[in-house]
Amino acid sequence: RIIASGLFLLPVFISAQSVTLSPDTALTSPSSACLACTGTTWNNEGNVSLPDGLSASTTLMQNGSCFQSSCYCSRFLYANSFGFSIPLNASIDSILVDVLRYASIAGAIKDSVIQLDKSGTLVGNNLYSSAFWPATGASTTYGHSDPLWGTAPGFWTPADLNDPASGVSIKVTNLSSGQAAAYVDHIQMTVFYSTAAGTFSASSSPSRLFISSGGTDEIIAITGDGKQHYSVSLMDATGKLILQQDLGIPGPGRNEFSIHLPGLVPGIYFWNLQGDTENETFKTIISPQVR
């Protein structure tokens, strides 16, 4: 794009970058201490930080039945403190939220609210899905159809997203004639942003995998425990395997591996980190680079 500066037109080459993280904290809002508030409370909210089979949960009454915390709808599950450190000179292009969730029975639980929090205040559009939650764990991504969640460009700043009080809030409702439980195993947020630098970056949850591009070589950083064997693979948007590399058993602490990439066309790609007891997949975007 072209930016005017005085009497001259200076070409500024912008490349997209992204970072993907999970929340460090989550809680029920309003809290369970509010006896005058309606909606069920969530249990074990902190479990949403890792995709490990341990879930935050809430049990909802049959549709239409509600008295204080015994209700067919939930209170907010508010996930925050994602740990972003986006450069303050960046422009926010889009925000995606991935939720790994399921219900105790099919055809019962639906979203009622999926909305972003800006420094602890709900803002923008409610991007709830009209689909029922599945009876087995599956991830849904919110934000593709409305990348800035109903806000204008410039509304979100790096400081907003770096703020530990910013995050996402989720409410659910039970449409069935019996009790049903809702489970959230993992919440993950991806922020795509632009800078004048010719690089892109991505970081997984929970700080296991970090990708930093300086051209055709990627740096994979793993916080190892000296026990797990790891491998990493890269796929394009169609699921085609681009590369796969065995990383062995990293020692305790931070370990870095250099991954040489083939020439890649601009687009969305998926990294997968496979360990003995964990399997993490996340997106990254490669934009046209001007050399």
Side-chain angles (χ1 to χ4, degrees):
R1 71 186 186 189
I2 303 296
I3 298 178
S5 176
L7 299 177
F8 301 96
L9 291 178
L10 301 177
V12 178
F13 303 111
I14 305 297
S15 71
Q17 305 182 48
S18 69
V19 61
T20 303
L21 291 170
S22 296
D24 283 338
T25 59
L27 50 85
T28 296
S29 180
S31 73
S32 56
C34 181
L35 298 181
C37 301
T38 58
T40 62
T41 59
W42 291 85
N43 304 303
N44 302 310
E45 298 98 318
N47 285 344
V48 303
S49 295
L50 293 171
D52 55 4
L54 301 177
S55 301
S57 65
T58 187
T59 300
L60 301 109
M61 301 297 291
Q62 64 269 23
N63 186 259
S65 176
C66 188
F67 178 70
Q68 294 181 349
S69 59
S70 297
C71 195
Y72 70 95
C73 60
S74 76
R75 302 187 191 189
F76 284 111
L77 176 61
Y78 166 47
N80 64 307
S81 192
F82 280 78
F84 288 112
S85 55
I86 299 169
L88 297 182
N89 63 345
S91 298
I92 306 303
D93 300 320
S94 64
I95 303 169
L96 300 180
V97 173
D98 293 282
V99 182
L100 177 57
R101 76 284 185 275
Y102 62 99
S104 60
I105 55 175
I109 304 296
K110 281 188 175 182
D111 304 336
S112 60
V113 177
I114 302 285
Q115 197 167 356
L116 296 181
D117 287 84
K118 182 177 182 179
S119 299
T121 301
L122 286 172
V123 295
N125 287 342
N126 173 11
L127 299 189
Y128 72 95
S129 167
S130 60
F132 282 105
W133 284 26
T136 56
S139 185
T140 294
T141 302
Y142 302 86
H144 281 302
S145 61
D146 189 354
L148 290 175
W149 298 64
T151 65
F155 176 83
W156 287 97
T157 68
D160 294 329
L161 292 164
N162 294 343
D163 186 345
S166 293
V168 61
S169 287
I170 300 172
K171 269 189 177 183
V172 296
T173 187
N174 179 14
L175 298 180
S176 73
S177 58
Q179 285 190 1
Y183 301 89
V184 178
D185 186 350
H186 189 216
I187 297 174
Q188 180 173 274
M189 184 180 291
T190 301
V191 177
F192 293 89
Y193 59 93
S194 297
T195 70
T199 62
F200 63 90
S201 63
S203 179
S204 80
S205 57
S207 300
R208 276 287 185 190
L209 185 62
F210 175 77
I211 299 175
S212 168
S213 175
T216 58
D217 291 308
E218 298 296 299
I219 301 299
I220 308 299
I222 298 174
T223 304
D225 57 11
K227 300 177 181 179
Q228 289 201 65
H229 184 278
Y230 287 95
S231 64
V232 67
S233 58
L234 178 67
M235 295 162 285
D236 66 15
T238 69
K240 179 183 177 182
L241 183 66
I242 305 298
L243 63 84
Q244 188 170 32
Q245 184 163 325
D246 186 273
L247 302 179
I249 302 177
R254 183 181 177 87
N255 299 264
E256 293 190 357
F257 303 87
S258 179
I259 309 292
H260 183 74
L261 294 182
L264 299 177
V265 299
I268 293 176
Y269 292 82
F270 295 87
W271 285 96
N272 178 256
L273 176 68
Q274 179 72 57
D276 294 332
T277 62
E278 60 184 298
N279 188 335
E280 299 182 43
T281 300
F282 65 96
K283 309 179 194 72
T284 189
I285 187 169
I286 294 180
S287 292
Q289 303 290 305
V290 180
R291 304 292 184 189

